[in-house]
Amino acid sequence: MEKFSKNFKLSETFYQNFLQKNKTDVFKENILGNFVFYRTYSRKKEDGSYENWAETCKRVVEGVFTIQKIHCQNLRLLWKEEKAQKSAQKMFQKMYTLKFLPAGRGIWGMGTDFFYERFDSTLLNNCAFISTKDIAIRKSFIFKWIMNSLMLGVGVGFDTLGENEIIIKQPKFKNNEKFIIEDSKEGWTDALEHLLEGFFSGTEVKEFDFSLIRPAGTPIKGFGGIASGADPLKEMLNAINSLLTEKINKKISSIDILDICCFIARCVVAGNVRRSALICLANPNDEKLLKAKDYNLEENEQAANWRWCVNISILVDEKTNFKKIAEQSNYFERGEPGFVFLNNAKKFGRKKDPENDDDANIVGVNPCGEQFLENGELCNLVEVFPSKHSSKEEFLETLKYAFLYAKSVTLVPTLCPETNAVMLKNRRVGVGLSGLQDFFSAVSKAEAHRWFNEGYKYLKSVDNIYSDWLCVPRSKKLTTVKPSGTLSLVAGVSPGIHYPFAPYYIRRVRVSQNAFFLKYFEEAGYTIEQDKYDKNTKIICFPIKSASDKSQKDVSVWQQVANAAEMQYWWSDNAVSITVFFKEKEKQDIEQILEMFQDNIKGVSFLPLDTNTYEQAPYTAITKEEYEEEIKKIKEINLDKIFTGKEEFEQKKEMYCTNDSCSLI
């Protein structure tokens, strides 16, 4: 795609004046959020220093309006620079003051040279789903698509409908010929395709040549991060080769599909992204698949080395026997299986609105469960924080600019024609709300519901206006509730719809023991622990006071699921992502909860409340007195001064939609 000779730029006069008038540090009361920003999203600049918060906001906003400008130029639509400048300034203010935030992927990737060079929206999308039902036709394409998405940091869902659809064939190995693997994402996925086609189609498979792949530890300039070397790729190819060699002349099974995807994810994890979010949607009658992560079974002992990469969730409907599921003693012990109500997602958007079949083509859900998607579809997310707004009118204004961010991302195609065919007609977005428990502590539920209902109606009208201007379809879906995780830390609010861990707690953040910034935290009085599980890792302990008047231990499983049903009714036309924390005595209620709420929610998972029993868990509850003692020890620390120098540090990015269970920190 031809690029503008001059991208959109935020007015430098506005930018400097705004910073002069807003000298108050937005992270003054949230040092953890400021640290997470620098450690996760701040990009290294050409002079070797790292972006501060204002510079990141400026880059993101300029990227959004450059996309719009390119779109209007290519379609020869009206573009008014002065009007765009006013909107961009307002978006900058909203983002800078943490009224809304793009998903972490947007904060990291929007407006970068890497994005402009590729002009591929995969970098900016959070969620993906692909079905294996067409494996007899698409063959290796499905797994190549999954690997490409994971390598660009997108969380991927898949199913096992391709079970028994193909017979594994004997490849024609050509050990005297070389398949030279290019040192790129495309090179790695091409190698996967080459091997799988040998087993799926009986074609030639050459000997792999890894000589072009850069050595481990080499910086990756474009996407960011550190190269892993060729070992993870070799391990993936060898594992898949071993698996399928034993299956020659047999039909592919659901477990085979699961393991191939896990081998891919394990490779990607080691290869830079560090976590690869995967969800496998299982048929409730597939007992072998549902027991695939029971490592006490002899046949699964070795699988613990790769199946940790995936969450297995059950596709349920009105015919599901919840009693049978609840009776399984090993269910719910690790947050699995989740329950996915695909039938509900097809029938309705918000529960408040009439049932319709507008989204009848959806086939699955993303790993965190907030976005139902068609086959091969991606989706991008953005978050608004109601508790940071003093009036409903201010909240509605923020929704407009949050939506404009998300809608702008839909203007950029991916590099995959099959995916573009779905995305460009659906324009699906997810304007999410987070910090909801903080908000409910500040206003009545009835008032909150009024905000959400009017906000949803307002977004529908805004979508009409922007879609007409940009000459694109209305968005198939608009709203969501995602788990939030790292972004909620940046904003300093409770995550998504979830309650905070405790009224007062220690939040532990693991960093390299050689990180240059450690000495500054130690000098400022923060407790620094040696990681007892990794001699090369230190832990910074942040004392946190919750803004909500309730925490996880104060509410029942019934209240938590009721909250999800309320948000599904008033706000989310996509879905509500929720992990319900239950006390041991409440486990017996889960069957009844699923039966009672099965018509009102689209997905849910359950996790025992007392799971953080190991030493140095990410969260540890403390008393008010202990919190105050910790705070007394801490001196003010200026992270802007520390991080905008030219010292190196290991940067870890949130690459996909996550909750705290799969957060990088």
Side-chain angles (χ1 to χ4, degrees), residues 30 33 36 41 53 98 100-107 126 381-383 385 434 482-495 654 658 660 663:
N30 181 19
V36 170
Y41 303 120
W53 179 236
L98 302 172
F100 92 92
L101 289 175
R105 299 177 51 69
I107 299 176
N126 304 68
L381 308 176
V382 61
E383 288 188 72
F385 311 107
S434 194
K482 66 192 281 289
S484 190
T486 310
L487 275 190
S488 66
L489 297 178
V490 175
V493 300
S494 55
E654 178 198 37
T658 84
D660 281 336
S663 172

PDB file of all heavy atoms in Angstrom, residues 30 33 36 41 53 98 100-107 126 381-383 385 434 482-495 654 658 660 663:
ATOM      1  N   ASN A  30       0.368   6.045  41.505  1.00  0.00           N
ATOM      2  CA  ASN A  30       0.364   4.686  40.957  1.00  0.00           C
ATOM      3  C   ASN A  30       1.739   4.349  40.403  1.00  0.00           C
ATOM      4  O   ASN A  30       1.946   4.243  39.199  1.00  0.00           O
ATOM      5  CB  ASN A  30      -0.709   4.560  39.863  1.00  0.00           C
ATOM      6  CG  ASN A  30      -0.799   3.163  39.268  1.00  0.00           C
ATOM      7  OD1 ASN A  30      -0.327   2.191  39.860  1.00  0.00           O
ATOM      8  ND2 ASN A  30      -1.387   3.046  38.090  1.00  0.00           N
ATOM      9  N   GLY A  33       1.830   1.262  38.205  1.00  0.00           N
ATOM     10  CA  GLY A  33       1.375   1.490  36.839  1.00  0.00           C
ATOM     11  C   GLY A  33       2.440   2.147  35.986  1.00  0.00           C
ATOM     12  O   GLY A  33       2.631   1.799  34.811  1.00  0.00           O
ATOM     13  N   VAL A  36       5.053  -0.506  35.204  1.00  0.00           N
ATOM     14  CA  VAL A  36       4.552  -1.449  34.197  1.00  0.00           C
ATOM     15  C   VAL A  36       4.598  -0.813  32.809  1.00  0.00           C
ATOM     16  O   VAL A  36       4.949  -1.465  31.817  1.00  0.00           O
ATOM     17  CB  VAL A  36       3.123  -1.907  34.542  1.00  0.00           C
ATOM     18  CG1 VAL A  36       2.507  -2.686  33.378  1.00  0.00           C
ATOM     19  CG2 VAL A  36       3.133  -2.772  35.794  1.00  0.00           C
ATOM     20  N   TYR A  41       5.611  -1.280  27.779  1.00  0.00           N
ATOM     21  CA  TYR A  41       5.116  -0.602  26.577  1.00  0.00           C
ATOM     22  C   TYR A  41       6.010   0.496  26.014  1.00  0.00           C
ATOM     23  O   TYR A  41       5.878   0.869  24.861  1.00  0.00           O
ATOM     24  CB  TYR A  41       3.732   0.000  26.862  1.00  0.00           C
ATOM     25  CG  TYR A  41       2.730  -1.022  27.324  1.00  0.00           C
ATOM     26  CD1 TYR A  41       2.109  -0.915  28.565  1.00  0.00           C
ATOM     27  CD2 TYR A  41       2.403  -2.114  26.527  1.00  0.00           C
ATOM     28  CE1 TYR A  41       1.188  -1.858  28.989  1.00  0.00           C
ATOM     29  CE2 TYR A  41       1.498  -3.062  26.951  1.00  0.00           C
ATOM     30  CZ  TYR A  41       0.893  -2.931  28.184  1.00  0.00           C
ATOM     31  OH  TYR A  41      -0.006  -3.874  28.601  1.00  0.00           O
ATOM     32  N   TRP A  53       5.566   8.694  28.976  1.00  0.00           N
ATOM     33  CA  TRP A  53       4.149   8.441  28.732  1.00  0.00           C
ATOM     34  C   TRP A  53       3.577   9.384  27.669  1.00  0.00           C
ATOM     35  O   TRP A  53       2.823   8.959  26.784  1.00  0.00           O
ATOM     36  CB  TRP A  53       3.368   8.562  30.035  1.00  0.00           C
ATOM     37  CG  TRP A  53       1.888   8.349  29.898  1.00  0.00           C
ATOM     38  CD1 TRP A  53       0.890   9.202  30.260  1.00  0.00           C
ATOM     39  CD2 TRP A  53       1.220   7.191  29.356  1.00  0.00           C
ATOM     40  NE1 TRP A  53      -0.344   8.663  29.984  1.00  0.00           N
ATOM     41  CE2 TRP A  53      -0.170   7.426  29.429  1.00  0.00           C
ATOM     42  CE3 TRP A  53       1.676   5.989  28.817  1.00  0.00           C
ATOM     43  CZ2 TRP A  53      -1.111   6.502  28.991  1.00  0.00           C
ATOM     44  CZ3 TRP A  53       0.736   5.063  28.374  1.00  0.00           C
ATOM     45  CH2 TRP A  53      -0.631   5.322  28.458  1.00  0.00           C
ATOM     46  N   LEU A  98      -5.512   8.807  31.205  1.00  0.00           N
ATOM     47  CA  LEU A  98      -5.936   7.443  31.548  1.00  0.00           C
ATOM     48  C   LEU A  98      -7.448   7.303  31.644  1.00  0.00           C
ATOM     49  O   LEU A  98      -7.963   6.501  32.424  1.00  0.00           O
ATOM     50  CB  LEU A  98      -5.283   7.002  32.860  1.00  0.00           C
ATOM     51  CG  LEU A  98      -3.746   7.022  32.872  1.00  0.00           C
ATOM     52  CD1 LEU A  98      -3.214   6.747  34.273  1.00  0.00           C
ATOM     53  CD2 LEU A  98      -3.193   6.012  31.895  1.00  0.00           C
ATOM     54  N   PHE A 100      -9.080   6.373  28.904  1.00  0.00           N
ATOM     55  CA  PHE A 100      -9.165   5.145  28.116  1.00  0.00           C
ATOM     56  C   PHE A 100      -7.766   4.759  27.672  1.00  0.00           C
ATOM     57  O   PHE A 100      -6.851   5.591  27.642  1.00  0.00           O
ATOM     58  CB  PHE A 100     -10.086   5.315  26.905  1.00  0.00           C
ATOM     59  CG  PHE A 100      -9.390   5.749  25.639  1.00  0.00           C
ATOM     60  CD1 PHE A 100      -8.919   4.809  24.726  1.00  0.00           C
ATOM     61  CD2 PHE A 100      -9.193   7.103  25.354  1.00  0.00           C
ATOM     62  CE1 PHE A 100      -8.265   5.201  23.560  1.00  0.00           C
ATOM     63  CE2 PHE A 100      -8.536   7.501  24.197  1.00  0.00           C
ATOM     64  CZ  PHE A 100      -8.076   6.553  23.296  1.00  0.00           C
ATOM     65  N   LEU A 101      -7.602   3.491  27.321  1.00  0.00           N
ATOM     66  CA  LEU A 101      -6.335   3.010  26.781  1.00  0.00           C
ATOM     67  C   LEU A 101      -6.610   2.010  25.664  1.00  0.00           C
ATOM     68  O   LEU A 101      -7.508   1.174  25.793  1.00  0.00           O
ATOM     69  CB  LEU A 101      -5.499   2.315  27.859  1.00  0.00           C
ATOM     70  CG  LEU A 101      -4.885   3.195  28.950  1.00  0.00           C
ATOM     71  CD1 LEU A 101      -4.201   2.325  29.996  1.00  0.00           C
ATOM     72  CD2 LEU A 101      -3.891   4.193  28.361  1.00  0.00           C
ATOM     73  N   PRO A 102      -5.845   2.084  24.577  1.00  0.00           N
ATOM     74  CA  PRO A 102      -5.883   0.987  23.611  1.00  0.00           C
ATOM     75  C   PRO A 102      -5.399  -0.282  24.304  1.00  0.00           C
ATOM     76  O   PRO A 102      -4.756  -0.221  25.360  1.00  0.00           O
ATOM     77  CB  PRO A 102      -4.884   1.429  22.530  1.00  0.00           C
ATOM     78  CG  PRO A 102      -4.687   2.898  22.747  1.00  0.00           C
ATOM     79  CD  PRO A 102      -4.890   3.136  24.210  1.00  0.00           C
ATOM     80  N   ALA A 103      -5.689  -1.425  23.733  1.00  0.00           N
ATOM     81  CA  ALA A 103      -5.114  -2.657  24.262  1.00  0.00           C
ATOM     82  C   ALA A 103      -3.592  -2.547  24.241  1.00  0.00           C
ATOM     83  O   ALA A 103      -3.020  -1.744  23.497  1.00  0.00           O
ATOM     84  CB  ALA A 103      -5.579  -3.844  23.435  1.00  0.00           C
ATOM     85  N   GLY A 104      -2.928  -3.353  25.060  1.00  0.00           N
ATOM     86  CA  GLY A 104      -1.480  -3.273  25.156  1.00  0.00           C
ATOM     87  C   GLY A 104      -0.784  -3.382  23.820  1.00  0.00           C
ATOM     88  O   GLY A 104       0.244  -2.740  23.577  1.00  0.00           O
ATOM     89  N   ARG A 105      -1.331  -4.173  22.919  1.00  0.00           N
ATOM     90  CA  ARG A 105      -0.743  -4.317  21.591  1.00  0.00           C
ATOM     91  C   ARG A 105      -0.763  -3.005  20.837  1.00  0.00           C
ATOM     92  O   ARG A 105       0.153  -2.683  20.089  1.00  0.00           O
ATOM     93  CB  ARG A 105      -1.506  -5.377  20.806  1.00  0.00           C
ATOM     94  CG  ARG A 105      -1.456  -6.745  21.455  1.00  0.00           C
ATOM     95  CD  ARG A 105      -2.275  -7.760  20.701  1.00  0.00           C
ATOM     96  NE  ARG A 105      -1.951  -7.767  19.288  1.00  0.00           N
ATOM     97  CZ  ARG A 105      -0.804  -8.186  18.776  1.00  0.00           C
ATOM     98  NH1 ARG A 105       0.137  -8.609  19.581  1.00  0.00           N
ATOM     99  NH2 ARG A 105      -0.595  -8.171  17.492  1.00  0.00           N
ATOM    100  N   GLY A 106      -1.841  -2.232  21.029  1.00  0.00           N
ATOM    101  CA  GLY A 106      -1.930  -0.934  20.378  1.00  0.00           C
ATOM    102  C   GLY A 106      -0.940   0.062  20.951  1.00  0.00           C
ATOM    103  O   GLY A 106      -0.317   0.846  20.219  1.00  0.00           O
ATOM    104  N   ILE A 107      -0.790   0.049  22.274  1.00  0.00           N
ATOM    105  CA  ILE A 107       0.171   0.948  22.905  1.00  0.00           C
ATOM    106  C   ILE A 107       1.578   0.625  22.414  1.00  0.00           C
ATOM    107  O   ILE A 107       2.392   1.513  22.177  1.00  0.00           O
ATOM    108  CB  ILE A 107       0.093   0.831  24.443  1.00  0.00           C
ATOM    109  CG1 ILE A 107      -1.301   1.224  24.938  1.00  0.00           C
ATOM    110  CG2 ILE A 107       1.138   1.726  25.103  1.00  0.00           C
ATOM    111  CD1 ILE A 107      -1.503   1.036  26.427  1.00  0.00           C
ATOM    112  N   ASN A 126      -6.002  -8.156  19.021  1.00  0.00           N
ATOM    113  CA  ASN A 126      -5.794  -8.957  20.225  1.00  0.00           C
ATOM    114  C   ASN A 126      -6.181 -10.415  20.038  1.00  0.00           C
ATOM    115  O   ASN A 126      -5.544 -11.310  20.591  1.00  0.00           O
ATOM    116  CB  ASN A 126      -6.653  -8.432  21.383  1.00  0.00           C
ATOM    117  CG  ASN A 126      -6.396  -6.981  21.666  1.00  0.00           C
ATOM    118  OD1 ASN A 126      -6.728  -6.113  20.869  1.00  0.00           O
ATOM    119  ND2 ASN A 126      -5.798  -6.711  22.801  1.00  0.00           N
ATOM    120  N   LEU A 381      -9.267  -4.511  20.525  1.00  0.00           N
ATOM    121  CA  LEU A 381      -9.946  -4.079  21.743  1.00  0.00           C
ATOM    122  C   LEU A 381      -9.397  -2.743  22.243  1.00  0.00           C
ATOM    123  O   LEU A 381      -8.292  -2.342  21.907  1.00  0.00           O
ATOM    124  CB  LEU A 381      -9.774  -5.128  22.847  1.00  0.00           C
ATOM    125  CG  LEU A 381     -10.141  -6.573  22.495  1.00  0.00           C
ATOM    126  CD1 LEU A 381      -9.823  -7.501  23.658  1.00  0.00           C
ATOM    127  CD2 LEU A 381     -11.609  -6.677  22.126  1.00  0.00           C
ATOM    128  N   VAL A 382     -10.203  -2.105  23.080  1.00  0.00           N
ATOM    129  CA  VAL A 382      -9.816  -0.844  23.720  1.00  0.00           C
ATOM    130  C   VAL A 382     -10.553  -0.797  25.051  1.00  0.00           C
ATOM    131  O   VAL A 382     -11.618  -1.404  25.192  1.00  0.00           O
ATOM    132  CB  VAL A 382     -10.177   0.350  22.805  1.00  0.00           C
ATOM    133  CG1 VAL A 382     -11.662   0.413  22.538  1.00  0.00           C
ATOM    134  CG2 VAL A 382      -9.686   1.670  23.381  1.00  0.00           C
ATOM    135  N   GLU A 383      -9.997  -0.119  26.054  1.00  0.00           N
ATOM    136  CA  GLU A 383     -10.616  -0.113  27.378  1.00  0.00           C
ATOM    137  C   GLU A 383     -10.904   1.297  27.875  1.00  0.00           C
ATOM    138  O   GLU A 383     -10.062   2.198  27.750  1.00  0.00           O
ATOM    139  CB  GLU A 383      -9.714  -0.815  28.394  1.00  0.00           C
ATOM    140  CG  GLU A 383      -9.667  -2.321  28.221  1.00  0.00           C
ATOM    141  CD  GLU A 383      -8.922  -2.993  29.356  1.00  0.00           C
ATOM    142  OE1 GLU A 383      -9.463  -3.050  30.474  1.00  0.00           O
ATOM    143  OE2 GLU A 383      -7.805  -3.459  29.110  1.00  0.00           O
ATOM    144  N   PHE A 385     -12.292   3.430  31.410  1.00  0.00           N
ATOM    145  CA  PHE A 385     -12.312   3.269  32.864  1.00  0.00           C
ATOM    146  C   PHE A 385     -13.354   4.205  33.478  1.00  0.00           C
ATOM    147  O   PHE A 385     -13.055   5.377  33.744  1.00  0.00           O
ATOM    148  CB  PHE A 385     -10.921   3.539  33.431  1.00  0.00           C
ATOM    149  CG  PHE A 385      -9.835   2.790  32.703  1.00  0.00           C
ATOM    150  CD1 PHE A 385      -8.965   3.444  31.845  1.00  0.00           C
ATOM    151  CD2 PHE A 385      -9.715   1.417  32.844  1.00  0.00           C
ATOM    152  CE1 PHE A 385      -7.985   2.758  31.156  1.00  0.00           C
ATOM    153  CE2 PHE A 385      -8.734   0.712  32.156  1.00  0.00           C
ATOM    154  CZ  PHE A 385      -7.867   1.376  31.309  1.00  0.00           C
ATOM    155  N   SER A 434     -13.364  -1.376  32.224  1.00  0.00           N
ATOM    156  CA  SER A 434     -12.540  -1.997  33.256  1.00  0.00           C
ATOM    157  C   SER A 434     -12.580  -1.142  34.515  1.00  0.00           C
ATOM    158  O   SER A 434     -13.008   0.004  34.488  1.00  0.00           O
ATOM    159  CB  SER A 434     -11.098  -2.148  32.758  1.00  0.00           C
ATOM    160  OG  SER A 434     -10.369  -3.013  33.600  1.00  0.00           O
ATOM    161  N   LYS A 482     -13.287  -7.241  28.928  1.00  0.00           N
ATOM    162  CA  LYS A 482     -12.117  -8.115  28.896  1.00  0.00           C
ATOM    163  C   LYS A 482     -11.499  -8.205  30.287  1.00  0.00           C
ATOM    164  O   LYS A 482     -11.803  -7.382  31.158  1.00  0.00           O
ATOM    165  CB  LYS A 482     -11.104  -7.638  27.852  1.00  0.00           C
ATOM    166  CG  LYS A 482     -10.455  -6.303  28.158  1.00  0.00           C
ATOM    167  CD  LYS A 482      -9.692  -5.759  26.956  1.00  0.00           C
ATOM    168  CE  LYS A 482      -8.341  -6.375  26.747  1.00  0.00           C
ATOM    169  NZ  LYS A 482      -7.333  -5.968  27.752  1.00  0.00           N
ATOM    170  N   PRO A 483     -10.636  -9.182  30.516  1.00  0.00           N
ATOM    171  CA  PRO A 483     -10.076  -9.348  31.864  1.00  0.00           C
ATOM    172  C   PRO A 483      -9.098  -8.254  32.266  1.00  0.00           C
ATOM    173  O   PRO A 483      -8.851  -8.044  33.433  1.00  0.00           O
ATOM    174  CB  PRO A 483      -9.383 -10.709  31.796  1.00  0.00           C
ATOM    175  CG  PRO A 483      -9.153 -10.952  30.354  1.00  0.00           C
ATOM    176  CD  PRO A 483     -10.270 -10.287  29.623  1.00  0.00           C
ATOM    177  N   SER A 484      -8.504  -7.580  31.291  1.00  0.00           N
ATOM    178  CA  SER A 484      -7.655  -6.405  31.489  1.00  0.00           C
ATOM    179  C   SER A 484      -6.252  -6.745  31.945  1.00  0.00           C
ATOM    180  O   SER A 484      -5.298  -6.552  31.221  1.00  0.00           O
ATOM    181  CB  SER A 484      -8.305  -5.401  32.451  1.00  0.00           C
ATOM    182  OG  SER A 484      -7.584  -4.186  32.438  1.00  0.00           O
ATOM    183  N   GLY A 485      -6.060  -7.235  33.149  1.00  0.00           N
ATOM    184  CA  GLY A 485      -4.718  -7.604  33.584  1.00  0.00           C
ATOM    185  C   GLY A 485      -3.757  -6.435  33.625  1.00  0.00           C
ATOM    186  O   GLY A 485      -3.910  -5.507  34.412  1.00  0.00           O
ATOM    187  N   THR A 486      -2.734  -6.460  32.753  1.00  0.00           N
ATOM    188  CA  THR A 486      -1.666  -5.476  32.810  1.00  0.00           C
ATOM    189  C   THR A 486      -2.159  -4.053  32.591  1.00  0.00           C
ATOM    190  O   THR A 486      -1.672  -3.118  33.230  1.00  0.00           O
ATOM    191  CB  THR A 486      -0.593  -5.818  31.760  1.00  0.00           C
ATOM    192  OG1 THR A 486      -0.230  -7.187  31.883  1.00  0.00           O
ATOM    193  CG2 THR A 486       0.641  -4.972  31.947  1.00  0.00           C
ATOM    194  N   LEU A 487      -3.123  -3.856  31.701  1.00  0.00           N
ATOM    195  CA  LEU A 487      -3.631  -2.506  31.453  1.00  0.00           C
ATOM    196  C   LEU A 487      -4.292  -1.916  32.688  1.00  0.00           C
ATOM    197  O   LEU A 487      -4.207  -0.714  32.939  1.00  0.00           O
ATOM    198  CB  LEU A 487      -4.628  -2.510  30.290  1.00  0.00           C
ATOM    199  CG  LEU A 487      -4.067  -2.408  28.884  1.00  0.00           C
ATOM    200  CD1 LEU A 487      -5.189  -2.191  27.897  1.00  0.00           C
ATOM    201  CD2 LEU A 487      -3.044  -1.292  28.759  1.00  0.00           C
ATOM    202  N   SER A 488      -4.984  -2.740  33.462  1.00  0.00           N
ATOM    203  CA  SER A 488      -5.606  -2.228  34.675  1.00  0.00           C
ATOM    204  C   SER A 488      -4.549  -1.751  35.660  1.00  0.00           C
ATOM    205  O   SER A 488      -4.785  -0.809  36.433  1.00  0.00           O
ATOM    206  CB  SER A 488      -6.502  -3.297  35.311  1.00  0.00           C
ATOM    207  OG  SER A 488      -5.739  -4.391  35.773  1.00  0.00           O
ATOM    208  N   LEU A 489      -3.368  -2.378  35.645  1.00  0.00           N
ATOM    209  CA  LEU A 489      -2.276  -1.915  36.498  1.00  0.00           C
ATOM    210  C   LEU A 489      -1.794  -0.543  36.053  1.00  0.00           C
ATOM    211  O   LEU A 489      -1.528   0.327  36.879  1.00  0.00           O
ATOM    212  CB  LEU A 489      -1.118  -2.918  36.462  1.00  0.00           C
ATOM    213  CG  LEU A 489      -1.399  -4.321  37.005  1.00  0.00           C
ATOM    214  CD1 LEU A 489      -0.160  -5.194  36.859  1.00  0.00           C
ATOM    215  CD2 LEU A 489      -1.838  -4.273  38.459  1.00  0.00           C
ATOM    216  N   VAL A 490      -1.671  -0.345  34.742  1.00  0.00           N
ATOM    217  CA  VAL A 490      -1.254   0.957  34.225  1.00  0.00           C
ATOM    218  C   VAL A 490      -2.256   2.035  34.632  1.00  0.00           C
ATOM    219  O   VAL A 490      -1.880   3.132  35.068  1.00  0.00           O
ATOM    220  CB  VAL A 490      -1.097   0.917  32.695  1.00  0.00           C
ATOM    221  CG1 VAL A 490      -0.794   2.308  32.147  1.00  0.00           C
ATOM    222  CG2 VAL A 490       0.006  -0.053  32.288  1.00  0.00           C
ATOM    223  N   ALA A 491      -3.540   1.724  34.504  1.00  0.00           N
ATOM    224  CA  ALA A 491      -4.576   2.702  34.832  1.00  0.00           C
ATOM    225  C   ALA A 491      -4.806   2.830  36.332  1.00  0.00           C
ATOM    226  O   ALA A 491      -5.413   3.806  36.788  1.00  0.00           O
ATOM    227  CB  ALA A 491      -5.881   2.312  34.138  1.00  0.00           C
ATOM    228  N   GLY A 492      -4.361   1.839  37.105  1.00  0.00           N
ATOM    229  CA  GLY A 492      -4.549   1.883  38.542  1.00  0.00           C
ATOM    230  C   GLY A 492      -5.960   1.568  38.980  1.00  0.00           C
ATOM    231  O   GLY A 492      -6.479   2.169  39.924  1.00  0.00           O
ATOM    232  N   VAL A 493      -6.607   0.599  38.295  1.00  0.00           N
ATOM    233  CA  VAL A 493      -7.978   0.218  38.630  1.00  0.00           C
ATOM    234  C   VAL A 493      -8.052  -1.298  38.799  1.00  0.00           C
ATOM    235  O   VAL A 493      -7.126  -2.025  38.432  1.00  0.00           O
ATOM    236  CB  VAL A 493      -8.970   0.665  37.538  1.00  0.00           C
ATOM    237  CG1 VAL A 493      -8.946   2.183  37.362  1.00  0.00           C
ATOM    238  CG2 VAL A 493      -8.681  -0.023  36.202  1.00  0.00           C
ATOM    239  N   SER A 494      -9.171  -1.773  39.315  1.00  0.00           N
ATOM    240  CA  SER A 494      -9.387  -3.214  39.426  1.00  0.00           C
ATOM    241  C   SER A 494      -9.545  -3.806  38.028  1.00  0.00           C
ATOM    242  O   SER A 494     -10.014  -3.131  37.107  1.00  0.00           O
ATOM    243  CB  SER A 494     -10.625  -3.506  40.280  1.00  0.00           C
ATOM    244  OG  SER A 494     -11.771  -2.838  39.768  1.00  0.00           O
ATOM    245  N   PRO A 495      -9.175  -5.073  37.832  1.00  0.00           N
ATOM    246  CA  PRO A 495      -9.158  -5.652  36.482  1.00  0.00           C
ATOM    247  C   PRO A 495     -10.535  -6.051  35.962  1.00  0.00           C
ATOM    248  O   PRO A 495     -11.193  -6.909  36.549  1.00  0.00           O
ATOM    249  CB  PRO A 495      -8.259  -6.877  36.640  1.00  0.00           C
ATOM    250  CG  PRO A 495      -8.404  -7.267  38.079  1.00  0.00           C
ATOM    251  CD  PRO A 495      -8.609  -6.000  38.842  1.00  0.00           C
ATOM    252  N   GLU A 654       3.222  -6.951  26.903  1.00  0.00           N
ATOM    253  CA  GLU A 654       1.958  -7.687  26.900  1.00  0.00           C
ATOM    254  C   GLU A 654       1.551  -7.789  25.442  1.00  0.00           C
ATOM    255  O   GLU A 654       1.216  -6.806  24.805  1.00  0.00           O
ATOM    256  CB  GLU A 654       0.880  -6.935  27.682  1.00  0.00           C
ATOM    257  CG  GLU A 654      -0.448  -7.665  27.658  1.00  0.00           C
ATOM    258  CD  GLU A 654      -1.611  -6.778  28.020  1.00  0.00           C
ATOM    259  OE1 GLU A 654      -1.608  -5.608  27.646  1.00  0.00           O
ATOM    260  OE2 GLU A 654      -2.540  -7.299  28.655  1.00  0.00           O
ATOM    261  N   THR A 658      -4.885 -10.572  28.001  1.00  0.00           N
ATOM    262  CA  THR A 658      -4.533 -11.462  29.094  1.00  0.00           C
ATOM    263  C   THR A 658      -5.267 -11.083  30.355  1.00  0.00           C
ATOM    264  O   THR A 658      -5.795 -10.001  30.502  1.00  0.00           O
ATOM    265  CB  THR A 658      -3.027 -11.396  29.431  1.00  0.00           C
ATOM    266  OG1 THR A 658      -2.788 -10.303  30.302  1.00  0.00           O
ATOM    267  CG2 THR A 658      -2.177 -11.256  28.218  1.00  0.00           C
ATOM    268  N   ASP A 660      -4.575 -11.761  34.817  1.00  0.00           N
ATOM    269  CA  ASP A 660      -3.403 -11.878  35.669  1.00  0.00           C
ATOM    270  C   ASP A 660      -2.807 -13.276  35.681  1.00  0.00           C
ATOM    271  O   ASP A 660      -1.660 -13.460  36.048  1.00  0.00           O
ATOM    272  CB  ASP A 660      -3.753 -11.459  37.100  1.00  0.00           C
ATOM    273  CG  ASP A 660      -3.787  -9.946  37.228  1.00  0.00           C
ATOM    274  OD1 ASP A 660      -3.138  -9.287  36.407  1.00  0.00           O
ATOM    275  OD2 ASP A 660      -4.454  -9.436  38.136  1.00  0.00           O
ATOM    276  N   SER A 663      -0.296 -13.002  32.824  1.00  0.00           N
ATOM    277  CA  SER A 663       0.397 -11.740  32.672  1.00  0.00           C
ATOM    278  C   SER A 663       1.900 -11.961  32.658  1.00  0.00           C
ATOM    279  O   SER A 663       2.414 -12.865  33.298  1.00  0.00           O
ATOM    280  CB  SER A 663       0.023 -10.804  33.824  1.00  0.00           C
ATOM    281  OG  SER A 663       0.821  -9.656  33.798  1.00  0.00           O
TER     282      SER A 663
END
